Amino acid sequence: MSIHTIVLGTGAYLPKSVLTNKDLEKCVNTSDEWIRTRTGIHQRYIANEKETNSYLATQSARRALDMAGVQPQDLDLIIVATMTPDMPMPSVACLVQNALGAKKAGAFDVQATCSGFLYALSIADKFIRDNRRMKVLVIGSEVLSRRINWEDRTTCVLFGDGAGATVLTGAREDRGILSTHLHSDGSLGDLLTIRGLGTAHPVTPEILERGWQYIEMQGREVFKCAVKALESVAWEALEANGWTGDDVDLLISHQANIRILNLLGERLGLPREKIFINIHKYGNTSAASIPIALDEANRKGILIPGLHILLVAFGGGFTWGSVAMRW
Ligand code: ACO
């Protein structure tokens, strides 16, 4: 039997503070009703100054390691998917490596926006299929609240902070990761961007004045592209595994908008109960959304052995991808 990457443990961590739609009504010209009906979001968690990306990531990792029964010093590799690192250098993965005391682990970050966790999972899968004894920690962690213009109602209602983690290893078993597919289209990058604070447009009063430190999104265009890309990558995964829509027991998609999730479910012919939804509690947490959802489903006992799970994500770049698993 060939080697498959299996999940030994999952974990998640959310900041302490909750920001409800009602709270947002006091800051910008919006309403709880608009946000709920257009996005499905009821509330989101917002990190304080001490709750850095690496802090959230480390806390989620501790929970995943606990469940896995794996010691930090036994980890071989740490991969963190994020677009909101504490700083450009060192990486969040190195900060986590140090905080955990994962002395023998290699560590690096992956930046693929909301698809980042699936990109990171795919990389981990390749390492593990090369050496099944490897123990790999894959984290998705974001503090997007720092990249939001709180006066822009078209974006500030959408995003939240948080982190999710998984501990992986290899096994000669008929379960685990079955397929991975990754895609991108950089020609559409301008539709969803943070223009400033990189080396092309470093911090200057002019850049800050233009608001280029914040997320800018052509929401309607992104919506259409997201539905199309998610549907196509889902069919690609089904075909690769010889599955039909009926073979999918649980769809865990990146949580960007409940209307995207519903449309995707319709197009794949999946009933509502097969689509995992938690966007109402967390908003869009970018690379953290899928590992948070996985942990929630796992701890609720939804992820029973043999379950066919399809993970799909779409985000800025554009990037999109899928991972199909048998639990
Ligand atoms: N409150 C009240 N009204 C609002 C708000 C708000 N928060 N935001 C926008 N509106 C208004 C607009 O101004 C517009 O008014 P107008 O008709 O008078 O001009 C109206 O509501 C409709 O605006 P749209 O932008 O067309 O609203 P839409 O239904 O498309 O919803 C949304 C916007 C939620 C952003 C949606 O387009 C969406 O979810 N897009 C995809 C997001 C996504 O998938 N992102 C990818 C991942 S994120 C990442 O990679 C970081």
Side-chain angles (χ1 to χ4, degrees):
M1 192 174 293
S2 57
I3 295 164
H4 285 119
T5 297
I6 60 165
V7 178
L8 295 175
T10 59
Y13 189 82
L14 281 309
K16 290 192 178 61
S17 168
V18 172
L19 184 72
T20 64
N21 294 346
K22 286 275 174 208
D23 296 329
L24 277 166
E25 283 180 355
K26 293 172 205 150
C27 325
V28 282
N29 180 15
T30 190
S31 67
D32 177 45
E33 202 262 335
W34 191 96
I35 302 171
R36 278 176 193 250
T37 52
R38 304 309 292 170
T39 73
I41 300 166
H42 299 185
Q43 60 169 50
R44 70 287 291 140
Y45 289 81
I46 303 292
N48 64 33
E49 288 133 46
K50 289 188 184 152
E51 292 168 323
T52 58
N53 185 316
S54 61
Y55 175 80
L56 302 180
T58 303
Q59 298 307 315
S60 70
R62 288 193 203 285
R63 292 177 180 186
L65 287 164
D66 241 28
M67 185 191 282
V70 169
Q71 297 304 314
Q73 57 270 25
D74 294 331
L75 287 171
D76 297 292
L77 190 62
I78 299 172
I79 312 175
V80 177
T82 188
M83 58 181 279
T84 51
D86 293 19
M87 57 195 90
M89 184 170 67
S91 64
V92 176
C94 281
L95 296 170
V96 171
Q97 180 273 335
N98 183 45
L100 292 175
K103 296 247 183 277
K104 71 167 183 174
F108 62 92
D109 287 0
V110 166
Q111 207 279 47
T113 64
C114 301
S115 315
F117 182 76
L118 296 193
Y119 270 68
L121 211 50
S122 304
I123 296 167
D125 181 48
K126 308 297 173 230
F127 273 102
I128 288 168
R129 284 199 283 122
D130 246 18
N131 175 1
R132 77 178 167 88
R133 292 181 205 288
M134 279 188 86
K135 295 208 166 48
V136 183
L137 172 64
V138 179
I139 304 172
S141 182
E142 301 282 12
V143 184
L144 276 162
S145 58
R146 310 281 199 272
R147 289 283 170 270
I148 284 165
N149 177 356
W150 290 100
E151 290 174 5
D152 175 9
R153 70 175 183 173
T154 68
T155 52
C156 79
V157 303
L158 303 175
F159 298 99
D161 303 331
T166 51
V167 178
L168 309 162
T169 194
R172 283 191 196 281
E173 291 176 27
D174 189 24
R175 65 185 176 112
I177 293 181
L178 304 174
S179 68
T180 63
H181 291 93
L182 305 178
H183 297 281
S184 69
D185 184 353
S187 73
L188 298 170
D190 283 348
L191 295 176
L192 177 51
T193 179
I194 302 173
R195 290 170 215 248
L197 303 197
T199 51
H201 303 292
V203 192
T204 60
E206 195 190 29
I207 291 297
L208 297 178
E209 178 66 28
R210 286 187 199 162
W212 282 12
Q213 66 274 40
Y214 299 129
I215 289 182
E216 293 171 54
M217 180 164 74
Q218 309 291 321
R220 215 174 290 184
E221 291 312 310
V222 175
F223 188 103
K224 285 187 227 154
C225 294
V227 174
K228 208 166 138 199
L230 289 168
E231 185 191 352
S232 109
V233 83
W235 286 123
E236 185 182 26
L238 295 186
E239 204 178 309
N241 290 291
W243 291 358
T244 67
D246 285 347
D247 294 311
V248 177
D249 298 314
L250 187 66
L251 177 76
I252 301 187
S253 172
H254 167 52
Q255 310 278 308
N257 188 316
I258 190 125
R259 290 184 292 136
I260 294 178
L261 300 178
N262 289 339
L263 269 171
L264 186 60
E266 259 172 47
R267 292 190 183 184
L268 297 175
L270 298 179
R272 170 66 187 78
E273 62 274 13
K274 285 190 174 183
I275 305 167
F276 193 84
I277 294 173
N278 64 7
I279 191 172
H280 52 288
K281 290 191 275 187
Y282 309 119
N284 179 345
T285 56
S286 190
S289 88
I290 290 181
I292 291 173
L294 254 182
D295 182 57
E296 202 170 308
N298 196 12
R299 283 173 200 268
K300 279 184 177 161
I302 296 170
L303 306 186
I304 51 171
L307 199 80
H308 284 175
I309 307 168
L310 180 60
L311 311 176
V312 291
F314 176 88
F318 288 149
T319 58
W320 63 100
S322 74
V323 173
M325 308 173 74
R326 185 177 297 117
W327 195 257

